[in-house]
Amino acid sequence: MSAELDDAILEAACDVLAAQGYRGFSFDAVARAAGTTRPAIYRRWEKREDLLLAALDHIMRVHSADADVARILAGASDEDLRGLIDKMLESFVAIVADRRVSAVSIAVSAAMYEDPELRALAQAHHYDRRKPLEAVLGLARDRGLLRGDIPLDDLIHIFVGAVQYRSNMLVEPITREYAANVLKLLMV
């Protein structure tokens, strides 16, 4: 299998999701947009949901960083931890600032309300992908760098919610300063 074709299919899947939403997201539509065939897609992803999750990872540039995060955290000073949080913040801002990411996020979120199976699948996928963030923020909270009076899940939801509200609901740009200000509310 070709890495170039994989990338073309994932790019096309993101384009279809952004333009047509989950209802318009089909192997036929993605194949047309990628300039390939349905069988070529089926050889890589058996179900539409598998392609959707791969497209979400692709557009959000999410790669399993568990091993890297664990290695970094093993001997991390407080300054190292702050630097890692800063890098994660920059990455998150870049992802959310991408209008196509917002369109895909909105399309998938809307479809989740109508499809309980998709909701369960997307939520499980999301929670799995945020484990590195939880590890970093959990250690930061344990060391007294983040507020300890708020559960970790809530800290994450407050940050992500504030950023996505501004991006997706108000359609206002996400700047590094804005995201840093939201993060400051959660820091000690």
Side-chain angles (χ1 to χ4, degrees):
M1 288 193 217
S2 158
E4 290 100 16
L5 183 55
D6 289 352
D7 283 343
I9 292 169
L10 292 171
E11 280 293 313
C14 293
D15 290 344
V16 169
L17 275 168
Q20 300 176 32
Y22 188 67
R23 287 186 182 162
F25 182 70
S26 68
F27 278 31
D28 284 333
V30 172
R32 275 192 305 277
T36 191
T37 63
R38 282 175 49 134
I41 297 173
Y42 276 112
R43 280 192 294 276
R44 290 160 172 81
W45 299 278
E46 290 181 20
K47 299 181 296 192
R48 179 170 89 144
E49 292 81 6
D50 296 336
L51 178 57
L52 170 75
L53 297 180
L56 288 174
D57 277 351
H58 179 77
I59 197 166
M60 295 179 139
R61 297 169 209 69
V62 175
H63 304 285
S64 179
D66 293 349
D68 292 333
V69 168
R71 189 186 82 249
I72 291 167
L73 294 182
S77 67
D78 287 357
E79 202 54 42
D80 293 337
L81 200 50
R82 283 187 186 97
L84 189 53
I85 291 170
D86 198 53
K87 277 183 166 178
M88 290 178 140
L89 176 72
E90 282 204 26
S91 177
F92 182 69
V93 168
I95 289 166
V96 174
D98 182 333
R99 296 313 311 161
R100 191 171 70 151
V101 172
S102 293
V104 169
S105 176
I106 291 167
V108 172
S109 295
M112 287 170 54
Y113 280 96
E114 298 173 2
D115 186 338
E117 288 178 29
L118 175 64
R119 180 173 42 249
L121 185 67
Q123 285 174 336
H125 184 75
H126 168 76
Y127 282 111
D128 183 56
R129 292 301 187 257
R130 79 175 211 183
K131 285 179 183 175
L133 176 64
E134 288 173 349
V136 170
L137 296 183
L139 182 58
R141 190 182 65 180
D142 292 347
R143 290 192 183 172
L145 302 174
L146 283 178
R147 293 183 56 167
D149 60 330
I150 301 173
L152 187 58
D153 273 351
D154 292 348
L155 289 172
I156 293 169
H157 294 159
I158 289 165
F159 178 77
V160 172
V163 171
Q164 289 205 328
Y165 175 78
R166 181 173 174 151
S167 173
N168 296 350
M169 298 301 293
L170 301 178
V171 194
E172 292 179 1
I174 300 302
T175 62
R176 189 174 190 320
E177 289 95 5
Y178 174 78
N181 286 336
V182 174
L183 186 61
K184 282 180 195 173
L185 296 171
L186 308 177
M187 303 292 283
V188 172

